[in-house]
Structure formats: structure tokens, C-alpha cells
Amino acid sequence: MKHDKPATVDPLDGIAETIDRAVSAMVAATTNGLSPATMALAASDWALHLAGSPGKQMHLVAKMMRKYLRLSDYAIRSFQDTTATPAIEPLPQDRRFSDAGWQQPPFNLIAQSFLLSQQWWHAATTGVGGVTKHHEDMVSFAARQILDVFAPTNFIATNPVLQQKIVETGGRCLADGFQHLIEDMQRIMRAEAPVGTENYRVGETVATAKGKVVLRNRLMELIQYEPTTGTVRPEPMLIVPAWIMKYYILDLSPQNSLVRWLTDQGYTVFMISWHNPGSEDRDVDLDDYRHEGPMAALDAITAITGRERVHTAGYCLGGTLLAIAAAAMARDGDERLASITLLAAQTEFSEPGELGLFIDEGQLTLLENMMWSKGYLDSSQMGGAFQILRSNDLVWSHVLQTYLMGERDAMIDLMAWNADGTRMPYAMHSQYLRRLFLNDDLAEGRFKVADRTISLASIDAPLFAVATERDHVAPWRSVHKIHLLTGSEITFVLTSGGHNAGIVSEPGHRGRRYQVLTREAHGRSYGADEWQAQAPSKEGSWWSEWGAWLDARSGDAEAPPGLGAPEKGYPPLMDAPGLYVREK
């Protein structure tokens, strides 16, 4: 009788893997998490296909000649009339050349030459036959980054606004800018927060809504806020923020605190405050966050309030987690959700916007090895990726204003919060990027909770979804795809602003506007562009729209519940904002 030989284990396997991971982590540390191999593949894909496309080359040469002719024509016309129509206008979001100084020679020609070159490089890096869409996007993005580095606004010799500032201040602006640079570099080396953040202290000037921590586990604290009205709606509100950020973006200063606004509307508000993970939390995964986050919170809330139905709201990654939890609850017959609100939260990831530039097998392998060495992804690395996506606004305009013109922006509450970063555990972040971003398992019906598949189609609670017009983290067209995944009633709001400022949009905030349209349960869905054409526009804050929506789905007001429930195992542990929000 033959017996199979036991599989032999090569003793070098583990050593080889460790060496590869360590080398990969070192590469990631020097490239800020960008994969050189992926970039090389994208560049070679573009270059080889362009080299084999003589028609495209001819077209680009012709474009270059036409742009030189346009620039020459403008040079002649502007010499006679400085208000002559330019050869090219900047994109609407590009404000670098808006100052009148850029209309004067020779700076008008410098600006026009740059804009025409920028347009030509866009044509050169797109529309090359045979190049994959992902590689095309990467090459086009890289070209924009290089052009932004060499923009004429970044140099004294080519920036008239900066030259005028130097003349007006007698060069003092450059001395001030150098002092700002030294101060910022010292703070970075000492791992200190940016200048001005010391004026925004958690629990004193931000995150000041009064309440109690009523539950603490290894991943979160649950805060119950004190009522500010004599009576409250019977359905409490649970807010699930992202753990890529600290919760108090929703409780900033008193005048723009969503928590205070909700309690003033007569709701009993509970907030999850996430633990800031360290190396010891490397194996915490996405299901741990679900189980010890919203599910543990719901158990506590129903016990404390005595109510079986709870309104829920999730922001960014917290909204994605809430959607996963809601689908698992629907699958298991758990009917505790009175409503679901998703704030700038994606549930479908096939079109994640420019964040998708950093999502492919090579990038994720490098990122995973970087996290493997530490056990987490640091906030500075995530922040760097977001800054690259908006380098004009977040990098070069900052360099120009702060270090060359010597003008430091005054710190505000939202900026101070943004500097108070968190970390992401290795196991969880790897799952999030692979299962959701790379494979889109949640939308495509492959995502499992407790070894059983979940489907967003099983959710029947009413949905209120908010997207923002200028969101570079969760693009609104991606957020809108929730319409394709569930037959629930969906009220969809598209508001002005970006990922953070569009959500922190209190009533009375100047310049706010939004569009809103409700799709009845199992009703007709519109595509994103058709929705935008159909949805009526309104002036003001979307918070008021949400408040009316919640009121229509809530019971009659009654006496508020107590803070915590010691007899049920949920004693008040300490005053809000608690311990976890202070973790660095």
C-alpha cells in the first residue's frame, strides 16, 4: 500500500519571505509608498505604445505647431493690447494665474506658454491606443505632478506677484518665509503638530459637547451626549465616524458641531470614538471593527435607552462599515435600524477617482509590506497621498504663500483637526484595500461576514446619502452608485464643498447649496449625470434637509433617557470626549 509522502517544508521559505518584505518596506519608505515597479510599467506601457503609433505622433506634432502659432498670435495681439483675449484659459479650479500681474508682459506669455504646454502633455499622455486605462491615468497624473513642480508661480524669476511682494516688503517676506520653513522643519523632526494647532485643544476648544463615555472596549469608546431639549425623539442616533480620522470633525467648535445641532433637534446622540491603533493591533481586521464598533454600540444603545429602533449615520469609511453591518443585520433578520445615513461614503469602488491611481497589485503589495514592518499605516503616509492628489492647492500654493511670500494661513478648527492624525491596522487596511477597492467584493456580492455572503440588496431601511461636489476621497458619482445596489428608499443629496467642508456645513454657513432627490423604494433610478440634471437645487445647508427627513421617520417626543445604565452593565465611565480621542 503506497503512502503519500508528507509535504516537505523548505526552511528558506520563511527567510526568503522576510527578506523580500523587509526590502520592499525599505523601498516603500523611500518612495512614500509608491511602487517604482508599477510606475515603470505604466511609463513603459505608454512609451512603447506611443512609439508604435506614428499617427498619434504626427497628431501631437501638429498640435504642438498649432499651439506655437496660437502663442505667437497672442504675443502679437497682447503687445498691442494687454487685455487681448488669451490663447488659452486656465481650468476653472486653477487659480494660480488670476492676479492682474499675470496679464502684463512678459508674464502673460510665460503663463500662456505653461498652460498650452500643460494642455499638450494631457493630449500626449491620453488617447494612446493599447495603453490600459489604469496606466494611462498614472502617466497623465505623473505628467501633471511634474508640470506643477515647474509651474512659473513657484519661482521668483517668473512670478510677478511674488516679485511685487518682495519689492513691497524690501525682501522681508523671504526672510519670514525662511523662518516659517525652519519652524515647520523643526516641528516635523520633533513629530509636533503644525503651528497654531495648540489653540485647538480637545475637550476645551474642540470636541466640547457634554456627555459621558458609557462603553469602552479595545477598539472604541461610546459617548452618549447630554440632551439639550426637554424632550427627545424615541429613536436614538448612532454616529459611526471613520477611524482614518478622529470623530470630533463632527463636534468641532460649538457653532459648527453636528453633534450639538442634532441634540438641539431633540435627538439622543451616541458617537463612536475609535482607539488609535499601534503595532500591537496589527491583526485587528475589518470584522473586528464591525463587531466591536457599531454592533457593540447598538447593543449598548438599545439597553441604555430601552428602544429597539435606532437611527444610524456613518461618515466616510465609517459609512462603508455601517453599510456592511446593515447588510449583515438584514441577512440575519436584525431589524434594529430605523434609518441609515451615509455621509461621503462609498459602497461601490469600481470608479474610486484618483485614489484608484494608488490601487493595483504592485502598489498594494508594497503598501502591505510597509505596514507589515510596523503593524500599521501611519497618518502621515495617508496624508501624503491626499496631498499629492491636490498638489496645486495643498502643496505648491502652500509653499508659495508660506515660504516665499512669508504669509502663514491662520489655523482654523478644521485644519487643526486634520493635523490630529490616526493610524490604520495592518490586517484591516489590507482587507479594506483588497476586498473593497481592488476587488469590489461588496458591490459584486463576494463580501462575507461570519463566513456568509452579504448583499446590500437585502437592506430595506430608508437611506439618506450625502455626497460632495469636490470630493477627491469619495467622488460623488461613485457614492451615487448606492442606487444600483439596493432597492431601499434613497434620498440622495449632492452638496457644495469637499470631503470634509461639505459635510461640516452648518445652517447659516455662507455660500452653501445642495441638490436633493428621493427615489422611492424599488423606484426608478437615474444615472449620476441624469440625476444631477433632474434634482432640484436649494440654497443653504443640507443639515436642515436631513433634520426634516429624520423627523418624518421618528416617533413623538418623550422624556430623555438617563446617561448610561449601570444596572445593565453600561455605567458612565468618564466625561466626554473620553480617552481614545486624546491618543497620539
PDB file of all heavy atoms in Angstrom, residues 447-469:
ATOM      1  N   PHE A 447     -18.544  39.644  -0.720  1.00  0.00           N
ATOM      2  CA  PHE A 447     -18.081  40.027   0.618  1.00  0.00           C
ATOM      3  C   PHE A 447     -18.775  39.157   1.667  1.00  0.00           C
ATOM      4  O   PHE A 447     -20.000  39.012   1.656  1.00  0.00           O
ATOM      5  CB  PHE A 447     -18.370  41.499   0.883  1.00  0.00           C
ATOM      6  CG  PHE A 447     -17.602  42.065   2.038  1.00  0.00           C
ATOM      7  CD1 PHE A 447     -16.386  42.696   1.828  1.00  0.00           C
ATOM      8  CD2 PHE A 447     -18.083  41.968   3.334  1.00  0.00           C
ATOM      9  CE1 PHE A 447     -15.664  43.224   2.900  1.00  0.00           C
ATOM     10  CE2 PHE A 447     -17.381  42.488   4.400  1.00  0.00           C
ATOM     11  CZ  PHE A 447     -16.158  43.115   4.179  1.00  0.00           C
ATOM     12  N   LYS A 448     -17.980  38.599   2.581  1.00  0.00           N
ATOM     13  CA  LYS A 448     -18.528  37.711   3.601  1.00  0.00           C
ATOM     14  C   LYS A 448     -18.367  38.304   4.991  1.00  0.00           C
ATOM     15  O   LYS A 448     -17.352  38.932   5.298  1.00  0.00           O
ATOM     16  CB  LYS A 448     -17.836  36.341   3.547  1.00  0.00           C
ATOM     17  CG  LYS A 448     -18.153  35.533   2.295  1.00  0.00           C
ATOM     18  CD  LYS A 448     -17.535  34.149   2.351  1.00  0.00           C
ATOM     19  CE  LYS A 448     -17.928  33.335   1.120  1.00  0.00           C
ATOM     20  NZ  LYS A 448     -17.359  31.963   1.163  1.00  0.00           N
ATOM     21  N   VAL A 449     -19.379  38.088   5.803  1.00  0.00           N
ATOM     22  CA  VAL A 449     -19.354  38.413   7.225  1.00  0.00           C
ATOM     23  C   VAL A 449     -19.708  37.146   7.968  1.00  0.00           C
ATOM     24  O   VAL A 449     -20.738  36.523   7.682  1.00  0.00           O
ATOM     25  CB  VAL A 449     -20.347  39.543   7.571  1.00  0.00           C
ATOM     26  CG1 VAL A 449     -20.462  39.705   9.078  1.00  0.00           C
ATOM     27  CG2 VAL A 449     -19.917  40.849   6.926  1.00  0.00           C
ATOM     28  N   ALA A 450     -18.861  36.738   8.899  1.00  0.00           N
ATOM     29  CA  ALA A 450     -19.047  35.484   9.628  1.00  0.00           C
ATOM     30  C   ALA A 450     -19.188  34.314   8.659  1.00  0.00           C
ATOM     31  O   ALA A 450     -20.075  33.456   8.800  1.00  0.00           O
ATOM     32  CB  ALA A 450     -20.266  35.573  10.552  1.00  0.00           C
ATOM     33  N   ASP A 451     -18.349  34.299   7.633  1.00  0.00           N
ATOM     34  CA  ASP A 451     -18.259  33.212   6.649  1.00  0.00           C
ATOM     35  C   ASP A 451     -19.513  33.042   5.803  1.00  0.00           C
ATOM     36  O   ASP A 451     -19.700  32.006   5.162  1.00  0.00           O
ATOM     37  CB  ASP A 451     -17.930  31.878   7.344  1.00  0.00           C
ATOM     38  CG  ASP A 451     -16.554  31.887   7.977  1.00  0.00           C
ATOM     39  OD1 ASP A 451     -15.639  32.497   7.386  1.00  0.00           O
ATOM     40  OD2 ASP A 451     -16.397  31.303   9.064  1.00  0.00           O
ATOM     41  N   ARG A 452     -20.355  34.064   5.783  1.00  0.00           N
ATOM     42  CA  ARG A 452     -21.551  34.016   4.931  1.00  0.00           C
ATOM     43  C   ARG A 452     -21.623  35.306   4.132  1.00  0.00           C
ATOM     44  O   ARG A 452     -21.385  36.397   4.647  1.00  0.00           O
ATOM     45  CB  ARG A 452     -22.813  33.844   5.789  1.00  0.00           C
ATOM     46  CG  ARG A 452     -22.891  32.506   6.518  1.00  0.00           C
ATOM     47  CD  ARG A 452     -23.976  32.523   7.578  1.00  0.00           C
ATOM     48  NE  ARG A 452     -25.274  32.850   7.013  1.00  0.00           N
ATOM     49  CZ  ARG A 452     -26.260  33.416   7.695  1.00  0.00           C
ATOM     50  NH1 ARG A 452     -26.084  33.754   8.965  1.00  0.00           N
ATOM     51  NH2 ARG A 452     -27.422  33.655   7.118  1.00  0.00           N
ATOM     52  N   THR A 453     -22.006  35.170   2.868  1.00  0.00           N
ATOM     53  CA  THR A 453     -22.039  36.314   1.966  1.00  0.00           C
ATOM     54  C   THR A 453     -23.146  37.285   2.370  1.00  0.00           C
ATOM     55  O   THR A 453     -24.234  36.876   2.789  1.00  0.00           O
ATOM     56  CB  THR A 453     -22.279  35.837   0.525  1.00  0.00           C
ATOM     57  OG1 THR A 453     -21.236  34.919   0.173  1.00  0.00           O
ATOM     58  CG2 THR A 453     -22.253  36.999  -0.449  1.00  0.00           C
ATOM     59  N   ILE A 454     -22.852  38.557   2.245  1.00  0.00           N
ATOM     60  CA  ILE A 454     -23.868  39.586   2.473  1.00  0.00           C
ATOM     61  C   ILE A 454     -24.163  40.299   1.160  1.00  0.00           C
ATOM     62  O   ILE A 454     -23.363  40.270   0.219  1.00  0.00           O
ATOM     63  CB  ILE A 454     -23.428  40.612   3.526  1.00  0.00           C
ATOM     64  CG1 ILE A 454     -22.163  41.373   3.070  1.00  0.00           C
ATOM     65  CG2 ILE A 454     -23.217  39.955   4.874  1.00  0.00           C
ATOM     66  CD1 ILE A 454     -21.808  42.567   3.927  1.00  0.00           C
ATOM     67  N   SER A 455     -25.322  40.932   1.113  1.00  0.00           N
ATOM     68  CA  SER A 455     -25.716  41.696  -0.069  1.00  0.00           C
ATOM     69  C   SER A 455     -26.381  42.988   0.376  1.00  0.00           C
ATOM     70  O   SER A 455     -27.286  42.973   1.232  1.00  0.00           O
ATOM     71  CB  SER A 455     -26.689  40.891  -0.935  1.00  0.00           C
ATOM     72  OG  SER A 455     -27.230  41.702  -1.966  1.00  0.00           O
ATOM     73  N   LEU A 456     -25.946  44.104  -0.205  1.00  0.00           N
ATOM     74  CA  LEU A 456     -26.590  45.380   0.110  1.00  0.00           C
ATOM     75  C   LEU A 456     -28.039  45.397  -0.353  1.00  0.00           C
ATOM     76  O   LEU A 456     -28.833  46.198   0.137  1.00  0.00           O
ATOM     77  CB  LEU A 456     -25.809  46.527  -0.541  1.00  0.00           C
ATOM     78  CG  LEU A 456     -24.369  46.726  -0.044  1.00  0.00           C
ATOM     79  CD1 LEU A 456     -23.679  47.825  -0.855  1.00  0.00           C
ATOM     80  CD2 LEU A 456     -24.337  47.077   1.438  1.00  0.00           C
ATOM     81  N   ALA A 457     -28.381  44.528  -1.285  1.00  0.00           N
ATOM     82  CA  ALA A 457     -29.758  44.460  -1.781  1.00  0.00           C
ATOM     83  C   ALA A 457     -30.734  44.028  -0.694  1.00  0.00           C
ATOM     84  O   ALA A 457     -31.942  44.270  -0.811  1.00  0.00           O
ATOM     85  CB  ALA A 457     -29.845  43.505  -2.970  1.00  0.00           C
ATOM     86  N   SER A 458     -30.233  43.396   0.366  1.00  0.00           N
ATOM     87  CA  SER A 458     -31.127  42.935   1.431  1.00  0.00           C
ATOM     88  C   SER A 458     -31.512  44.056   2.387  1.00  0.00           C
ATOM     89  O   SER A 458     -32.420  43.892   3.212  1.00  0.00           O
ATOM     90  CB  SER A 458     -30.456  41.803   2.213  1.00  0.00           C
ATOM     91  OG  SER A 458     -29.250  42.248   2.819  1.00  0.00           O
ATOM     92  N   ILE A 459     -30.868  45.210   2.306  1.00  0.00           N
ATOM     93  CA  ILE A 459     -31.187  46.338   3.190  1.00  0.00           C
ATOM     94  C   ILE A 459     -32.533  46.923   2.781  1.00  0.00           C
ATOM     95  O   ILE A 459     -32.761  47.217   1.606  1.00  0.00           O
ATOM     96  CB  ILE A 459     -30.094  47.417   3.112  1.00  0.00           C
ATOM     97  CG1 ILE A 459     -28.751  46.867   3.608  1.00  0.00           C
ATOM     98  CG2 ILE A 459     -30.489  48.657   3.903  1.00  0.00           C
ATOM     99  CD1 ILE A 459     -27.588  47.827   3.429  1.00  0.00           C
ATOM    100  N   ASP A 460     -33.426  47.088   3.750  1.00  0.00           N
ATOM    101  CA  ASP A 460     -34.717  47.715   3.436  1.00  0.00           C
ATOM    102  C   ASP A 460     -34.980  48.967   4.274  1.00  0.00           C
ATOM    103  O   ASP A 460     -36.017  49.611   4.117  1.00  0.00           O
ATOM    104  CB  ASP A 460     -35.871  46.725   3.600  1.00  0.00           C
ATOM    105  CG  ASP A 460     -35.966  46.150   5.003  1.00  0.00           C
ATOM    106  OD1 ASP A 460     -35.226  46.606   5.897  1.00  0.00           O
ATOM    107  OD2 ASP A 460     -36.776  45.231   5.205  1.00  0.00           O
ATOM    108  N   ALA A 461     -34.044  49.344   5.159  1.00  0.00           N
ATOM    109  CA  ALA A 461     -34.201  50.581   5.924  1.00  0.00           C
ATOM    110  C   ALA A 461     -34.042  51.771   4.989  1.00  0.00           C
ATOM    111  O   ALA A 461     -33.279  51.719   4.019  1.00  0.00           O
ATOM    112  CB  ALA A 461     -33.161  50.649   7.037  1.00  0.00           C
ATOM    113  N   PRO A 462     -34.772  52.874   5.221  1.00  0.00           N
ATOM    114  CA  PRO A 462     -34.622  54.054   4.364  1.00  0.00           C
ATOM    115  C   PRO A 462     -33.212  54.632   4.460  1.00  0.00           C
ATOM    116  O   PRO A 462     -32.605  54.645   5.537  1.00  0.00           O
ATOM    117  CB  PRO A 462     -35.680  55.025   4.899  1.00  0.00           C
ATOM    118  CG  PRO A 462     -35.947  54.569   6.299  1.00  0.00           C
ATOM    119  CD  PRO A 462     -35.762  53.086   6.301  1.00  0.00           C
ATOM    120  N   LEU A 463     -32.704  55.123   3.333  1.00  0.00           N
ATOM    121  CA  LEU A 463     -31.347  55.629   3.240  1.00  0.00           C
ATOM    122  C   LEU A 463     -31.338  57.116   2.918  1.00  0.00           C
ATOM    123  O   LEU A 463     -32.120  57.584   2.090  1.00  0.00           O
ATOM    124  CB  LEU A 463     -30.577  54.892   2.144  1.00  0.00           C
ATOM    125  CG  LEU A 463     -30.080  53.485   2.453  1.00  0.00           C
ATOM    126  CD1 LEU A 463     -29.798  52.724   1.168  1.00  0.00           C
ATOM    127  CD2 LEU A 463     -28.816  53.552   3.299  1.00  0.00           C
ATOM    128  N   PHE A 464     -30.435  57.837   3.572  1.00  0.00           N
ATOM    129  CA  PHE A 464     -30.158  59.231   3.259  1.00  0.00           C
ATOM    130  C   PHE A 464     -28.669  59.296   2.953  1.00  0.00           C
ATOM    131  O   PHE A 464     -27.828  59.067   3.830  1.00  0.00           O
ATOM    132  CB  PHE A 464     -30.511  60.132   4.450  1.00  0.00           C
ATOM    133  CG  PHE A 464     -30.501  61.610   4.156  1.00  0.00           C
ATOM    134  CD1 PHE A 464     -31.667  62.274   3.803  1.00  0.00           C
ATOM    135  CD2 PHE A 464     -29.329  62.348   4.245  1.00  0.00           C
ATOM    136  CE1 PHE A 464     -31.676  63.641   3.551  1.00  0.00           C
ATOM    137  CE2 PHE A 464     -29.317  63.708   3.989  1.00  0.00           C
ATOM    138  CZ  PHE A 464     -30.492  64.357   3.637  1.00  0.00           C
ATOM    139  N   ALA A 465     -28.315  59.563   1.706  1.00  0.00           N
ATOM    140  CA  ALA A 465     -26.910  59.541   1.294  1.00  0.00           C
ATOM    141  C   ALA A 465     -26.482  60.941   0.870  1.00  0.00           C
ATOM    142  O   ALA A 465     -27.177  61.603   0.095  1.00  0.00           O
ATOM    143  CB  ALA A 465     -26.699  58.556   0.146  1.00  0.00           C
ATOM    144  N   VAL A 466     -25.331  61.375   1.370  1.00  0.00           N
ATOM    145  CA  VAL A 466     -24.797  62.708   1.076  1.00  0.00           C
ATOM    146  C   VAL A 466     -23.461  62.552   0.365  1.00  0.00           C
ATOM    147  O   VAL A 466     -22.578  61.820   0.826  1.00  0.00           O
ATOM    148  CB  VAL A 466     -24.610  63.546   2.352  1.00  0.00           C
ATOM    149  CG1 VAL A 466     -24.089  64.940   2.005  1.00  0.00           C
ATOM    150  CG2 VAL A 466     -25.916  63.636   3.126  1.00  0.00           C
ATOM    151  N   ALA A 467     -23.309  63.234  -0.758  1.00  0.00           N
ATOM    152  CA  ALA A 467     -22.027  63.306  -1.470  1.00  0.00           C
ATOM    153  C   ALA A 467     -21.671  64.772  -1.651  1.00  0.00           C
ATOM    154  O   ALA A 467     -22.529  65.653  -1.556  1.00  0.00           O
ATOM    155  CB  ALA A 467     -22.131  62.605  -2.819  1.00  0.00           C
ATOM    156  N   THR A 468     -20.394  65.036  -1.910  1.00  0.00           N
ATOM    157  CA  THR A 468     -19.947  66.424  -2.068  1.00  0.00           C
ATOM    158  C   THR A 468     -19.347  66.620  -3.456  1.00  0.00           C
ATOM    159  O   THR A 468     -18.722  65.718  -4.008  1.00  0.00           O
ATOM    160  CB  THR A 468     -18.918  66.811  -0.987  1.00  0.00           C
ATOM    161  OG1 THR A 468     -17.727  66.034  -1.152  1.00  0.00           O
ATOM    162  CG2 THR A 468     -19.482  66.575   0.398  1.00  0.00           C
ATOM    163  N   GLU A 469     -19.519  67.812  -3.990  1.00  0.00           N
ATOM    164  CA  GLU A 469     -19.162  68.098  -5.383  1.00  0.00           C
ATOM    165  C   GLU A 469     -17.671  67.939  -5.662  1.00  0.00           C
ATOM    166  O   GLU A 469     -17.282  67.460  -6.727  1.00  0.00           O
ATOM    167  CB  GLU A 469     -19.586  69.525  -5.749  1.00  0.00           C
ATOM    168  CG  GLU A 469     -21.078  69.727  -5.828  1.00  0.00           C
ATOM    169  CD  GLU A 469     -21.456  71.167  -6.125  1.00  0.00           C
ATOM    170  OE1 GLU A 469     -20.587  72.063  -5.966  1.00  0.00           O
ATOM    171  OE2 GLU A 469     -22.612  71.405  -6.515  1.00  0.00           O
TER     172      GLU A 469
END
